[in-house]
Amino acid sequence: MRLAPGEEDQDLVLTGRHDTLMSGTAELQSTRERQLEQVRETADGLRRRIDGVGGEKLMSLTGRIEELGRERERRRKRATKYGAWLALAGMGPLPDAASFHERTVQISTARSRAKEQGQQARGKLDDLAVARHDNTAATDALRGEITSLQQRSSIPAQLLDLR
């Protein structure tokens, strides 16, 4: 297919522009790749410089600081819980870490005393249960005796009421 004389010139102009744009795009792409490579080299160089002046140490310290922060929070929660338990036991908070051992001894002593008192209370409860059973049996025996005496009716009612 042949183009008209005016269209041939326009086609040549468009082809020229297209070729110019394509070569500009290729140059732009090449420039961007060079710039990207330079940025990567700069970043690598900066990492090496940071490592050279203790960067790894700084990174490990940052991690250690975060770890210690989590540990501090865990200990704070534990101390709060321990303080609440002390309050329930009627004991005040600890003034310092050195008092912890002394308080542990106090708690151990209180625990032993409470255990002993619990055993004594169970013993008293058992004794009271036996006494109640004995009283119930004696009451039942007296009721039976009064009922039997009422049936005989030879005993005045006043004496039976007294009984």
Side-chain angles (χ1 to χ4, degrees):
M1 175 163 117
R2 288 225 3 112
L3 296 175
E7 288 179 348
E8 283 181 14
D9 291 339
Q10 192 177 14
D11 186 45
L12 286 173
V13 169
L14 287 177
T15 302
R17 284 186 183 167
H18 179 267
D19 292 343
T20 303
L21 285 174
M22 290 307 287
S23 68
T25 302
E27 285 178 37
L28 201 70
Q29 182 68 27
S30 174
T31 303
R32 285 187 181 208
E33 287 175 4
R34 281 193 309 276
Q35 288 174 340
L36 180 60
E37 187 59 35
Q38 287 174 349
V39 167
R40 285 182 181 150
E41 287 174 8
T42 303
D44 289 343
L46 288 173
R47 280 191 206 99
R48 284 191 298 275
R49 282 182 56 197
I50 288 171
D51 288 344
V53 293
E56 259 184 56
K57 183 75 170 171
L58 289 175
M59 294 303 288
S60 70
L61 286 176
T62 302
R64 181 72 176 136
I65 290 169
E66 290 172 359
E67 179 184 329
L68 290 174
R70 289 187 299 270
E71 178 68 16
R72 181 181 52 214
E73 182 63 20
R74 186 186 65 76
R75 286 182 179 197
R76 187 195 60 74
K77 286 180 182 178
R78 189 169 150 198
T80 301
K81 192 184 301 184
Y82 187 75
W85 289 339
L86 287 176
L88 284 173
M91 297 179 171
L94 293 172
D96 55 22
S99 302
F100 186 80
H101 178 69
E102 182 181 319
R103 184 57 56 93
T104 303
V105 171
Q106 290 173 346
I107 290 170
S108 180
T109 303
R111 182 184 299 141
S112 296
R113 191 172 38 245
K115 195 174 190 179
E116 183 180 314
Q117 289 172 349
Q119 289 173 345
Q120 289 173 353
R122 278 191 290 281
K124 285 181 183 178
L125 184 62
D126 291 344
D127 291 345
L128 289 173
V130 168
R132 180 178 178 208
H133 181 271
D134 291 346
N135 287 338
T136 302
T139 302
D140 290 344
L142 282 174
R143 278 195 185 122
E145 185 179 328
I146 290 172
T147 303
S148 170
L149 289 173
Q150 284 174 342
Q151 290 172 353
R152 293 185 198 165
S153 61
S154 61
I155 300 174
Q158 290 175 345
L159 290 177
L160 287 176
D161 288 341
L162 182 62
R163 180 83 172 140

